[in-house]
Amino acid sequence: EFKLQYGAQRTGKRTDAAMERWRGNRFGQFIHWGLYAIPGGVWNGKTYNYAAEFLKSSAKIPGSTWDSLMYQFNPKKFSAKEWARMAKRMGAKYMTITTKHHEGFCLWPSRFTEFNISRTPYGKDILKELVDAYNAEGIDVNFYYSVLDWHHPDWRYDIKSPEDSVAFRRYLDFAFNQLKELATNYPTVKAFWFDGTWDNSVKKNGWWTYEVEQMLKQVSPGAIVNSRLRADDRGARHFDSNGQLMGDYESGYERRLPDPVTDLKVTKWDWEACMTVPENQWGYHKDWSISHVKSPLELLEMLVHTTSMGGNFLLNFGPAGDGSIRPEEQRIAAEIGSWMQNNGNVIYNSGYAGWEKQDWGYFTAPSRPNTLNMVVFNLPVSGLLKVKVPAGVKISTASTGGKKLRVEEIAKNQYLVHFERKWFAMPQVIVLETGGEGKKGAQYQDAKT
Ligand SMILES: C[C@@H]1N[C@@H](c2nc3ccccc3[nH]2)[C@H](O)[C@@H]1O
């Protein structure tokens, strides 16, 4: 055990109302929007296949050239209300917006840097427009903030000299002031999503990450911070040197999900996975033909997979420089939304059931006791859905769309739910009621071999 000043401040899940609301929301919309959306991965007629929000480095663009994109930022098609309505129809309960990405450009009129929205032709406070429009739709808003800042002269990747220490301390003060400004000026914001904290400079300043968490929770009671913000006294990140999760939820699943059989450890704490639609594009890229683009159903399965393991799913949208949402993303919002309209109850306020994963799909446990949801993605040709129950648990009924299904006990703690043998275009939901007595008499005998 290490004695830590800046390690985890709590063990176990937070149980306060703000965290229970965050947990119950389950499904969020990530939005990556900044100057990078203007070139969209193309520079001087050349398409760069790397992530569009990295174009400045992949195309080796000088800082002054990149920063002058600010004078072109004037999204004629931007409507915060339209974005919020689309998110509502998709079934998102929260939205996380990049206030400042690695490029350092701020979507709000920060008084700590001129590199912000107020100096663009657009001029207005985009963060405020988004917070107001999404909150008006009943959607919570969270702020993404990149500690890594390519624009700020005092940013350092490592601390190699006294000059680095002095400069980086100025940078940490700047970032602290910006975060306090965000928490103060946008009081309805529920959570802070930190990124760009993997460099040695930040790992050597764990104290700052602790101070930021404390400040945000003082300025904004109930505020939630992700584990990615945090480094401890010894530079350990996400989990402190004693293995305790720092922050309020684990944010290590980026473009990947935990395995439902081998990674069950994540069910012990709150966590959130964030996901791109292409293989690796967060900001708008003009050419999506350069990688696989996930279909609405692939993404819907990821949402259900995540819920089934007690996690939140944050699905990314990258609006174009003109403020429009590309057709692929519109279709995703519509198709996922059509399913969520009738089946959101298997996602919202639902989580890990603790039952053994089966091939046909996922279990989710709603807050209502003695009930479980089966979300079927892979219907077997037999139409027979195997269910293994924990010792002593009995299934009393199974129904889909209010129609009862035959439930057959076939061995000790094993059942088959008899489902229709036909093709379905969308995942099917079966509600199980548990309790009651099992079959009398049939004592299942293990074979002798
Ligand atoms: C949540 C995601 N994290 C950012 C990111 N920064 C990186 C730096 C190095 C390698 C991968 C990165 N992903 C991505 O741009 C996006 O914001």
Side-chain angles (χ1 to χ4, degrees):
E1 277 278 306
F2 294 97
K3 191 154 177 32
L4 299 169
Q5 206 175 345
Y6 307 120
Q9 296 303 300
R10 186 201 68 255
T11 57
K13 295 181 183 179
R14 263 179 58 173
T15 55
D16 56 291
M19 196 71 202
E20 291 186 349
R21 177 186 171 110
W22 179 93
R23 184 181 302 127
N25 280 346
R26 282 294 181 235
F27 184 27
Q29 177 191 37
F30 213 164
I31 296 180
H32 275 71
W33 204 31
L35 301 182
Y36 44 77
I38 297 170
V42 179
W43 196 260
N44 290 337
K46 183 176 178 343
T47 297
Y48 290 80
N49 291 355
Y50 197 58
E53 70 279 5
F54 278 81
L55 182 64
K56 178 175 180 287
S57 51
S58 32
K60 298 185 179 48
I61 300 164
S64 55
T65 307
W66 184 266
D67 293 354
S68 62
L69 284 168
M70 171 165 70
Y71 302 112
Q72 295 176 46
F73 193 78
N74 193 9
K76 295 285 187 202
K77 294 183 180 168
F78 173 56
S79 159
K81 284 194 180 60
E82 273 176 35
W83 289 13
R85 277 197 291 274
M86 181 191 69
K88 181 79 172 185
R89 285 195 300 272
M90 179 167 78
K93 291 284 190 189
Y94 66 100
M95 182 274 279
T96 301
I97 175 73
T98 49
T99 61
K100 183 191 81 160
H101 201 261
H102 307 336
E103 65 180 2
F105 176 68
C106 302
L107 286 184
W108 81 101
S110 175
R111 61 184 215 278
F112 298 99
T113 173
E114 302 265 285
F115 194 36
N116 74 57
I117 194 72
S118 67
R119 300 207 21 255
T120 68
Y122 184 78
K124 290 176 289 184
D125 181 348
I126 279 190
L127 273 203
K128 177 153 180 38
E129 290 185 280
L130 286 170
V131 168
D132 292 349
Y134 275 77
N135 285 175
E137 290 289 341
I139 300 175
D140 288 343
V141 173
N142 303 335
F143 282 166
Y144 164 110
Y145 183 89
S146 174
V147 177
L148 167 59
D149 187 321
W150 298 330
H151 170 83
H152 199 289
D154 291 330
W155 164 261
R156 293 291 183 279
Y157 287 95
D158 200 352
I159 310 299
K160 294 246 197 285
S161 68
E163 292 71 31
D164 282 345
S165 295
V166 170
F168 196 61
R169 178 60 202 256
R170 280 197 304 267
Y171 177 75
L172 292 176
D173 291 347
F174 157 79
F176 190 92
N177 288 332
Q178 283 209 311
L179 289 161
K180 190 165 190 171
E181 178 181 51
L182 286 169
T184 307
N185 296 349
Y186 305 90
T188 65
V189 168
K190 298 289 183 296
F192 291 84
W193 206 104
F194 287 89
D195 200 12
T197 52
W198 41 76
D199 290 300
N200 285 339
S201 51
V202 181
K203 286 161 75 171
K204 289 173 179 174
N205 286 279
W207 66 271
W208 179 83
T209 74
Y210 165 84
E211 294 297 345
V212 164
E213 178 175 9
Q214 298 301 314
M215 176 272 293
L216 290 172
K217 293 181 174 182
Q218 271 149 20
V219 172
S220 178
I224 293 164
V225 301
N226 66 339
S227 60
R228 197 178 297 199
L229 161 65
R230 300 281 280 103
D232 75 0
D233 314 47
R234 307 173 69 253
R237 298 184 57 240
H238 293 278
F239 292 86
D240 71 16
S241 304
N242 297 321
Q244 289 301 324
L245 180 67
M246 296 184 280
D248 299 308
Y249 68 92
E250 202 257 309
S251 60
Y253 289 95
E254 178 169 320
R255 296 190 292 120
R256 66 190 176 98
L257 297 182
D259 181 280
V261 175
T262 57
D263 291 329
L264 288 175
K265 63 183 185 296
V266 299
T267 61
K268 291 199 295 281
W269 49 78
D270 284 306
W271 60 280
E272 179 193 64
C274 56
M275 190 59 66
T276 51
V277 176
E279 190 272 327
N280 184 13
Q281 294 294 337
W282 297 92
Y284 179 82
H285 195 295
K286 285 174 180 160
D287 181 0
W288 267 19
S289 70
I290 51 185
S291 88
H292 171 62
V293 175
K294 299 177 192 76
S295 69
L297 279 170
E298 280 183 276
L299 295 162
L300 177 55
E301 177 161 359
M302 291 182 180
L303 168 60
V304 176
H305 174 154
T306 302
T307 301
S308 80
M309 297 185 75
N312 282 21
F313 188 66
L314 187 60
L315 175 57
N316 186 67
F317 284 64
D322 66 1
S324 62
I325 303 289
R326 67 198 310 149
E328 298 93 332
E329 293 177 351
Q330 299 262 12
R331 188 165 72 86
I332 283 162
E335 289 206 21
I336 290 179
S338 69
W339 188 84
M340 287 296 281
Q341 219 66 46
N342 308 317
N343 300 286
N345 63 303
V346 311
I347 301 292
Y348 305 132
N349 302 306
S350 300
Y352 177 55
W355 289 21
E356 192 175 306
K357 173 82 174 61
Q358 299 299 332
D359 292 343
W360 44 260
Y362 307 87
F363 291 107
T364 72
S367 40
R368 206 158 27 99
N370 302 323
T371 56
L372 268 187
N373 301 301
M374 295 168 62
V375 190
V376 182
F377 285 88
N378 317 307
L379 186 62
V381 284
S382 66
L384 300 174
L385 304 174
K386 185 192 305 187
V387 178
K388 281 189 181 174
V389 298
V393 172
K394 303 289 173 199
I395 298 178
S396 49
T397 68
S399 53
T400 184
K403 193 159 54 61
K404 283 268 188 291
L405 296 171
R406 183 183 165 208
V407 181
E408 183 190 3
E409 186 178 340
I410 59 167
K412 197 157 179 288
N413 301 322
Q414 271 198 51
Y415 292 85
L416 285 179
V417 175
H418 291 241
F419 203 65
E420 298 166 74
R421 295 182 56 205
K422 73 177 203 181
W423 173 258
F424 290 94
M426 297 299 280
Q428 297 299 300
V429 173
I430 296 168
V431 180
L432 297 181
E433 301 285 334
T434 59
E437 284 306 304
K439 227 159 69 173
K440 290 276 175 276
Q443 297 310 319
Y444 303 105
Q445 194 165 34
D446 290 343
K448 288 192 183 312
T449 57

